[in-house]
Amino acid sequence: YIVGPYGFGKTSTAGKVWYLLEEDNYIATPPIYFDELQSIVDAVYGWLKYRLRARDDLLERLDEIYESKATNNIEDIVSSTDLENKDAVMNEFQGLIEEGSVDIEFSVNHVLEFLSECNQLVKEAGFDGLIILADELQQFVANHSSDKEAYSDLRDLAKSIALGLNDGDGLGLLFTMDD
């Protein structure tokens, strides 16, 4: 992680790290404004669509990965309700997501699964791994109802990646934050 006072150059430093990682055969997201888990998913999805644009086969799989994680999250939400016709509700949700009317927030587990599968895709494309540069970590904490909840999510995310979600195969996460 990179920590320093406001205006110290943390984002600029992360930008240099991004440049060096890209030069070293990694796909790294440019520093992203990290205020919620969804921002990681959106940044990785968007950046991979750009970086893998010449590989239609991989782009199709990337779309499938993203949609499957969104669907899993919807299934979790719907299954936790007392609704009688869960299939109809699932179909309605899916339609709203496809038209862009609803944005489903990902859970830590769905984010980890998404990143793991994207990392494998990146490796298949011939890169050494996927690195996410998450800027402004303090905004993620501020957007939670409690610090405890925010730090719990961060701990689960960082610990899973650090302990080798993919057995050390190139998935990484770098945070920046004010001290």
Side-chain angles (χ1 to χ4, degrees), residues 10-11 15 18 20 36 47 56 59 100 106 122 147 151 158 168:
K10 299 175 297 295
T11 302
W18 168 62
L20 294 171
E36 60 183 1
W47 190 243
D56 289 338
L59 288 177
F106 285 61
V122 163
D147 288 356
Y151 290 124

Short mmCIF file of all heavy atoms in Angstrom, two decimals, residues 10-11 15 18 20 36 47 56 59 100 106 122 147 151 158 168:
data_model
loop_
_atom_site.label_atom_id
_atom_site.label_comp_id
_atom_site.label_asym_id
_atom_site.label_seq_id
_atom_site.Cartn_x
_atom_site.Cartn_y
_atom_site.Cartn_z
N LYS A 10 0.47 10.39 -3.94
CA LYS A 10 0.14 8.95 -3.88
C LYS A 10 -0.42 8.46 -5.22
O LYS A 10 -0.01 7.41 -5.72
CB LYS A 10 -0.86 8.68 -2.76
CG LYS A 10 -0.35 9.02 -1.38
CD LYS A 10 -1.41 8.85 -0.32
CE LYS A 10 -2.60 9.76 -0.49
NZ LYS A 10 -2.34 11.20 -0.36
N THR A 11 -1.35 9.20 -5.79
CA THR A 11 -1.96 8.79 -7.05
C THR A 11 -0.92 8.83 -8.18
O THR A 11 -0.89 7.93 -9.03
CB THR A 11 -3.17 9.67 -7.39
OG1 THR A 11 -4.11 9.58 -6.30
CG2 THR A 11 -3.86 9.22 -8.66
N GLY A 15 0.29 5.77 -10.41
CA GLY A 15 0.36 5.85 -11.86
C GLY A 15 1.68 5.34 -12.40
O GLY A 15 1.73 4.65 -13.42
N TRP A 18 1.64 1.62 -12.09
CA TRP A 18 0.83 1.10 -13.19
C TRP A 18 1.67 0.99 -14.46
O TRP A 18 1.69 -0.05 -15.12
CB TRP A 18 -0.38 2.00 -13.41
CG TRP A 18 -1.14 1.76 -14.68
CD1 TRP A 18 -1.78 0.61 -15.03
CD2 TRP A 18 -1.34 2.67 -15.75
NE1 TRP A 18 -2.38 0.75 -16.27
CE2 TRP A 18 -2.12 2.03 -16.72
CE3 TRP A 18 -0.95 3.98 -15.97
CZ2 TRP A 18 -2.51 2.64 -17.90
CZ3 TRP A 18 -1.34 4.60 -17.15
CH2 TRP A 18 -2.10 3.92 -18.10
N LEU A 20 4.93 0.83 -14.82
CA LEU A 20 5.98 -0.19 -14.70
C LEU A 20 5.41 -1.61 -14.78
O LEU A 20 6.02 -2.49 -15.39
CB LEU A 20 6.75 0.01 -13.39
CG LEU A 20 7.57 1.30 -13.31
CD1 LEU A 20 8.12 1.50 -11.90
CD2 LEU A 20 8.69 1.30 -14.34
N GLU A 36 -16.27 1.76 -3.37
CA GLU A 36 -17.11 0.59 -3.11
C GLU A 36 -16.54 -0.60 -3.87
O GLU A 36 -15.75 -0.43 -4.80
CB GLU A 36 -18.56 0.85 -3.52
CG GLU A 36 -18.74 1.18 -4.98
CD GLU A 36 -20.17 1.52 -5.36
OE1 GLU A 36 -21.04 1.52 -4.48
OE2 GLU A 36 -20.40 1.77 -6.54
N TRP A 47 -11.39 -2.13 -18.07
CA TRP A 47 -10.00 -2.12 -18.53
C TRP A 47 -9.66 -3.37 -19.33
O TRP A 47 -8.98 -3.31 -20.34
CB TRP A 47 -9.05 -1.94 -17.34
CG TRP A 47 -7.64 -1.68 -17.77
CD1 TRP A 47 -6.55 -2.46 -17.54
CD2 TRP A 47 -7.15 -0.55 -18.51
NE1 TRP A 47 -5.43 -1.90 -18.08
CE2 TRP A 47 -5.77 -0.73 -18.69
CE3 TRP A 47 -7.75 0.58 -19.06
CZ2 TRP A 47 -4.97 0.19 -19.38
CZ3 TRP A 47 -6.96 1.50 -19.73
CH2 TRP A 47 -5.60 1.30 -19.90
N ASP A 56 -11.53 -11.48 -29.48
CA ASP A 56 -12.99 -11.65 -29.35
C ASP A 56 -13.35 -12.85 -28.48
O ASP A 56 -14.33 -12.80 -27.73
CB ASP A 56 -13.63 -11.79 -30.73
CG ASP A 56 -13.64 -10.49 -31.51
OD1 ASP A 56 -13.54 -9.42 -30.86
OD2 ASP A 56 -13.74 -10.54 -32.74
N LEU A 59 -12.97 -11.71 -24.94
CA LEU A 59 -13.99 -10.71 -24.59
C LEU A 59 -15.34 -11.37 -24.32
O LEU A 59 -16.05 -10.98 -23.39
CB LEU A 59 -14.13 -9.67 -25.70
CG LEU A 59 -12.99 -8.68 -25.83
CD1 LEU A 59 -13.22 -7.76 -27.02
CD2 LEU A 59 -12.80 -7.88 -24.56
N GLY A 100 -29.79 -1.50 -17.97
CA GLY A 100 -29.02 -0.50 -17.24
C GLY A 100 -29.80 0.25 -16.18
O GLY A 100 -29.31 1.25 -15.65
N PHE A 106 -21.70 -5.95 -5.75
CA PHE A 106 -21.09 -7.26 -5.56
C PHE A 106 -20.68 -7.45 -4.11
O PHE A 106 -20.24 -6.52 -3.45
CB PHE A 106 -19.85 -7.38 -6.45
CG PHE A 106 -20.14 -7.59 -7.90
CD1 PHE A 106 -20.84 -6.67 -8.64
CD2 PHE A 106 -19.71 -8.74 -8.53
CE1 PHE A 106 -21.11 -6.87 -9.98
CE2 PHE A 106 -19.96 -8.95 -9.87
CZ PHE A 106 -20.66 -8.02 -10.60
N VAL A 122 -6.53 -13.31 -18.10
CA VAL A 122 -5.34 -12.50 -18.41
C VAL A 122 -4.14 -13.41 -18.67
O VAL A 122 -3.37 -13.19 -19.61
CB VAL A 122 -5.07 -11.52 -17.23
CG1 VAL A 122 -3.66 -10.97 -17.27
CG2 VAL A 122 -6.10 -10.41 -17.23
N ASP A 147 -17.05 1.60 10.46
CA ASP A 147 -15.66 1.28 10.14
C ASP A 147 -15.43 -0.22 10.22
O ASP A 147 -14.68 -0.80 9.43
CB ASP A 147 -14.71 2.01 11.08
CG ASP A 147 -14.62 3.50 10.81
OD1 ASP A 147 -15.25 3.97 9.85
OD2 ASP A 147 -13.93 4.19 11.58
N TYR A 151 -13.67 -2.38 7.32
CA TYR A 151 -12.41 -3.08 7.54
C TYR A 151 -12.57 -4.59 7.43
O TYR A 151 -11.64 -5.28 7.02
CB TYR A 151 -11.79 -2.67 8.88
CG TYR A 151 -11.28 -1.24 8.85
CD1 TYR A 151 -11.73 -0.32 9.78
CD2 TYR A 151 -10.38 -0.82 7.88
CE1 TYR A 151 -11.27 0.99 9.74
CE2 TYR A 151 -9.93 0.48 7.83
CZ TYR A 151 -10.37 1.39 8.76
OH TYR A 151 -9.93 2.68 8.72
N ALA A 158 -8.25 -8.32 0.90
CA ALA A 158 -6.79 -8.29 0.86
C ALA A 158 -6.18 -9.61 1.31
O ALA A 158 -5.22 -10.10 0.71
CB ALA A 158 -6.27 -7.14 1.72
N GLY A 168 -0.52 -17.74 -5.96
CA GLY A 168 0.60 -16.90 -6.35
C GLY A 168 0.75 -16.71 -7.84
O GLY A 168 1.87 -16.54 -8.32
#
